[in-house]
């Protein structure tokens, strides 16, 4: 018998999940060690929440605001339930396209912990990613959450805010990486650069 998980599973119910394991040759591992100042950060668009932050979403939208699943918010062009259930984008084709170009120093999948929390884990000491928030657009659901009072700091550390994947590449291959991503059906743009420093700064 399972313990209760508020808002998710009642007693006696459970979730079935799966996972995949991959194998890579040691010399092909991308772990951020080769990232240098001057490298380019390319962001690949997310489709929405990507299965992260739903406890916060439920608290704000349903418990605090009392909204229903069929609510029509001014930011959205569809019922709230449809926006919340937007499928997570899977980036296998995007990553394969980037690997075919080469010159990739780091890859960060933006999951729980937000952009900074995930990107800083793949950067070596002495490097800082400086990102321009105006360089990408956010799915409308994030604007709705802001309007209902979720603080900016909490938004940043909880959600992907429109970027599901960030690749760090050498500047000479940035255009080729963008072209490859676009050819793979992704929306991607340069969102920042690597400089000397530490961590991630989003302005």
């Amino acid at each position: 018998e399972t313990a209760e998980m508020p808002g998710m599973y009642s007693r006696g119910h459970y979730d079935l999940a799966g996972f995949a394991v991959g194998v890579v040759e040691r010399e092909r591992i991308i772990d951020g060690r080769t990232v240098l100042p001057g490298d380019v950060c390319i962001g690949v668009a997310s489709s929405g929440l990507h299965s992260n932050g739903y406890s916060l979403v439920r608290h704000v939208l349903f418990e605090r605001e009392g909204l229903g699943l069929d609510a029509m918010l001014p930011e959205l062009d569809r019922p709230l339930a449809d926006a919340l259930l937007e499928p997570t984008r899977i980036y296998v084709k995007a990553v394969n396209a980037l690997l075919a170009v080469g010159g990739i120093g780091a890859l960060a999948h933006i999951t729980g912990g937000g952009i900074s929390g995930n990107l800083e884990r793949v950067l070596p000491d002495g490097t800082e990613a400086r990102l321009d928030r105006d360089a990408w657009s956010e799915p409308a659901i994030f604007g709705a959450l802001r309007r209902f009072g979720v603080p900016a700091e909490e938004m940043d550390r909880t959600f992907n805010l429109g970027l599901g994947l960030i690749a760090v590449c050498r500047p000479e291959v940035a255009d080729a990486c963008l072209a490859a991503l676009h050819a793979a059906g992704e929306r991607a743009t340069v969102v920042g650069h690597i400089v000397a420093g530490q961590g991630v700064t989003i302005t």
Side-chain angles (χ1 to χ4, degrees), residues 52-141:
N52 294 114
Y54 277 86
S55 293
L56 176 59
V57 169
R58 283 196 311 275
H59 171 71
V60 171
L61 298 184
F62 301 137
E63 296 170 13
R64 194 176 76 197
E65 298 297 328
L67 298 176
L69 289 171
D70 58 350
M72 294 296 295
L73 304 183
E75 294 87 353
L76 306 176
D77 59 358
R78 53 190 169 161
L80 178 58
D82 291 349
L84 296 180
L85 294 175
E86 179 67 35
T88 298
R89 287 196 65 78
I90 305 299
Y91 296 105
V92 174
K93 289 181 180 178
V95 170
N96 283 338
L98 290 168
L99 295 179
V101 173
I104 305 300
L107 291 165
H109 187 204
I110 311 304
T111 56
I115 293 169
S116 295
N118 288 280
L119 183 54
E120 66 186 358
R121 286 203 302 258
V122 301
L123 299 178
D125 287 342
T127 60
E128 173 188 347
R130 288 194 182 166
L131 307 184
D132 176 7
R133 202 181 293 269
D134 293 331
W136 73 91
S137 58
E138 294 183 358
I141 187 64

Side-chain angles (χ1 to χ4, degrees):
E1 190 173 83
T2 60
E4 288 188 38
M5 195 172 173
M8 291 295 292
Y9 310 115
S10 58
R11 187 170 297 277
H13 291 77
Y14 62 91
D15 182 31
L16 181 63
F19 64 94
V21 176
V23 177
V24 62
E25 296 294 336
R26 186 178 300 275
E27 63 271 12
R28 297 187 65 194
I29 292 175
I30 296 174
D31 59 8
R33 283 181 295 181
T34 63
V35 170
L36 296 169
D39 284 354
V40 175
C41 299
I42 294 176
V44 185
S46 73
S47 55
L49 295 172
H50 280 201
S51 303
N52 294 114
Y54 277 86
S55 293
L56 176 59
V57 169
R58 283 196 311 275
H59 171 71
V60 171
L61 298 184
F62 301 137
E63 296 170 13
R64 194 176 76 197
E65 298 297 328
L67 298 176
L69 289 171
D70 58 350
M72 294 296 295
L73 304 183
E75 294 87 353
L76 306 176
D77 59 358
R78 53 190 169 161
L80 178 58
D82 291 349
L84 296 180
L85 294 175
E86 179 67 35
T88 298
R89 287 196 65 78
I90 305 299
Y91 296 105
V92 174
K93 289 181 180 178
V95 170
N96 283 338
L98 290 168
L99 295 179
V101 173
I104 305 300
L107 291 165
H109 187 204
I110 311 304
T111 56
I115 293 169
S116 295
N118 288 280
L119 183 54
E120 66 186 358
R121 286 203 302 258
V122 301
L123 299 178
D125 287 342
T127 60
E128 173 188 347
R130 288 194 182 166
L131 307 184
D132 176 7
R133 202 181 293 269
D134 293 331
W136 73 91
S137 58
E138 294 183 358
I141 187 64
F142 298 119
L145 290 166
R146 283 196 176 87
R147 180 168 63 84
F148 284 112
V150 179
E153 287 185 4
E154 193 160 16
M155 293 288 297
D156 284 354
R157 69 171 173 258
T158 304
F159 301 114
N160 66 64
L161 301 181
L163 299 180
L165 181 78
I166 296 177
V168 181
C169 69
R170 299 300 300 151
E172 61 268 20
V173 301
D175 288 344
C177 286
L178 285 172
L181 288 167
H182 295 157
E186 300 290 349
R187 289 182 294 120
T189 186
V190 172
V191 296
H193 296 81
I194 303 297
V195 298
Q198 197 71 34
V200 178
T201 302
I202 307 175
T203 57

